């Protein structure tokens, strides 16, 4: 099964966490310890190896922060 | 081999969106720009920005943009389309703009059967000016100008724009969509693609109403706002295709 790799353009993120909500694998979370220049919490990938490249996070991101890449398993 | 599954649309500029966190304007911007790129019309697209939160959308769409006076987007779009029939002209309007001050311009553009694409964002509130009651505000919904909730005796009933336009013979495509989950976003994209394809094929006036959120003025988190769309808004504003066919020219 193919896996996914996520790239975040953190400076555009507003920490709305819609990606966290809609990730079916529940591997995204708000990073409470790091903020971007706007002062919003960053998004972190808790278990990158479980990403399935479904791109639900990127589809729901209003600010086009996320790029999703599919890599062969 | 690595393949990119999803990346920022080339139909959007590098500018950061000015919308609040979690506002679904951003999702609809992505869908419109992706549709223009997929149909290969980005270089001849002309967008009309409305007044409201989306007033700055001329900074975000990577095509020619005009900013119209409040509510007049469809009148401006008519002029551009008639002067430059080869251009793909769309207006991007909120409910304060289209459903309130601009309802006359929009209805008459549809009645004339102008070959336009109208993207209508219904978030049941005036966002930019600070959360006042809009024509689309739901009954009982609290806003800064209806602090006890919208009362039908005092304020009338919420206006169902898609239903109104579906009765206009020359509105060839009228659909209401939502963007409250990934599946709904995919369906919304299909509707927006269809609305632009209609214009490319010179079929006539297409309107897509998108149920959207305003987390800040609704006083909710972005996730709560999407649930509110699903539970409250979709109960009053059914998501479906109201009209899809040819213009009805019978007198």
């Amino acid at each position: 099964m193919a896996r996914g790799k996520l790239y975040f353009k953190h400076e555009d993120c507003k920490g709305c966490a819609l990606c966290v909500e809609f990730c079916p694998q529940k591997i995204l979370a708000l990073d409470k310890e790091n903020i971007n220049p706007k002062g919003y919490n960053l998004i972190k990938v808790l278990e990158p190896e479980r990403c399935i490249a479904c791109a639900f996070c990127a589809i729901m991101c209003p600010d086009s922060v996320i790029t999703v890449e599919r890599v062969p398993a | 081999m690595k393949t990119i599954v999803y990346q920022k649309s080339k139909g959007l500029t590098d500018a950061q969106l000015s919308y609040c966190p979690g506002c679904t304007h951003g999702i609809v911007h992505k869908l419109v720009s992706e549709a223009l790129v997929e149909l290969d019309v980005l270089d001849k697209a002309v967008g009309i920005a409305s007044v409201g939160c989306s007033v700055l959308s001329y900074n975000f769409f990577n095509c020619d943009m005009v900013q119209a006076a409040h509510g007049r987007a469809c009148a401006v779009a008519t002029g551009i389309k008639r002067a430059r029939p080869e251009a793909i002209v769309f207006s991007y309007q909120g409910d304060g703009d289209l459903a309130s001050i601009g309802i006359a311009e929009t209805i008459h553009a549809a009645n004339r059967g102008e070959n336009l694409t109208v993207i209508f964002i219904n978030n049941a509130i005036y966002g930019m000016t600070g959360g006042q009651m809009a024509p689309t505000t739901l009954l009982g919904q609290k806003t800064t100008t209806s602090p006890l909730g919208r009362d039908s005796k005092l304020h009338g009933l919420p206006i169902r724009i898609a239903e109104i336009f579906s009765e206009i013979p020359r509105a060839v495509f009228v659909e209401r969509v939502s963007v409250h989950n990934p599946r709904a976003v995919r369906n919304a994209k299909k509707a927006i693609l269809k609305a632009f394809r209609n214009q490319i094929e010179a079929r006539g006036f297409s309107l897509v109403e998108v149920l959207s959120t305003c987390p800040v003025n609704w006083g909710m988190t972005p996730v709560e706002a999407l649930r509110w769309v699903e539970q409250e808004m979709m109960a009053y504003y059914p998501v479906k295709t109201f009209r899809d066919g040819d213009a009805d020219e019978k007198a």
Side-chain angles (χ1 to χ4, degrees), chain A residues 3-4 25-28 44-51:
Chain A
R3 286 199 298 108
Q25 297 287 85
K26 300 290 170 211
I27 57 170
L28 297 176
K44 62 180 174 187
V45 189
L46 298 174
E47 299 168 77
E49 66 285 357
R50 289 185 57 224
C51 177

Side-chain angles (χ1 to χ4, degrees), chain A residues 12 14 38 58 61 68 70, chain B residues 3 5-6 16-17 19 30:
Chain A
D12 284 1
K14 295 172 186 160
K38 284 186 179 153
C61 175
V68 185
R70 183 182 287 132
Chain B
T3 41
V5 183
Y6 197 102
Q16 291 181 349
L17 300 188
Y19 306 111
K30 292 197 302 185

Side-chain angles (χ1 to χ4, degrees), chain B residues 63-81:
Chain B
C63 61
D64 288 333
M65 293 292 290
V66 176
Q67 207 278 308
H70 201 1
R72 268 83 237 201
C74 279
V76 174
T78 299
I80 293 174
K81 186 71 185 179

Side-chain angles (χ1 to χ4, degrees), chain A residues 9 11-12 14 16-18 21-22 38 40 53-56 58-64 66-72, chain B residues 1-8 12 16-19 21-23 26-27 30 179-182 185-186 222-223 226-227:
Chain A
K9 197 179 174 201
E11 63 269 29
D12 284 1
K14 295 172 186 160
C16 71
L18 292 186
E21 170 72 16
F22 287 99
K38 284 186 179 153
Y40 294 117
C54 68
F56 280 14
I59 289 168
M60 292 308 289
C61 175
D63 295 280
S64 307
I66 308 171
T67 300
V68 185
E69 194 179 74
R70 183 182 287 132
V71 286
Chain B
M1 202 189 81
K2 292 175 181 177
T3 41
I4 300 286
V5 183
Y6 197 102
Q7 63 185 339
K8 184 167 184 172
L12 292 173
Q16 291 181 349
L17 300 188
S18 55
Y19 306 111
C23 171
I27 298 179
K30 292 197 302 185
V179 288
H180 68 280
N181 62 32
V185 172
R186 291 222 162 105
V223 172
L226 289 181
R227 292 211 183 99

Side-chain angles (χ1 to χ4, degrees), chain B residues 18-19 25 29 46-61 65-77 90-103 106 118-123 126-128:
Chain B
S18 55
Y19 306 111
H25 261 305
H29 274 41
V46 182
I48 319 293
S50 63
V51 170
C53 294
S54 57
V55 67
L56 295 174
S57 59
Y58 51 74
N59 283 335
F60 309 138
F61 287 112
M65 293 292 290
V66 176
Q67 207 278 308
H70 201 1
R72 268 83 237 201
C74 279
V76 174
F90 68 97
S91 75
Y92 185 99
Q93 302 174 260
D95 47 6
D97 193 82
L98 186 148
S100 182
I101 190 169
I103 197 163
T106 318
V118 176
I119 310 295
F120 167 49
I121 308 296
N122 177 357
N123 61 4
Y126 281 82
M128 183 185 70

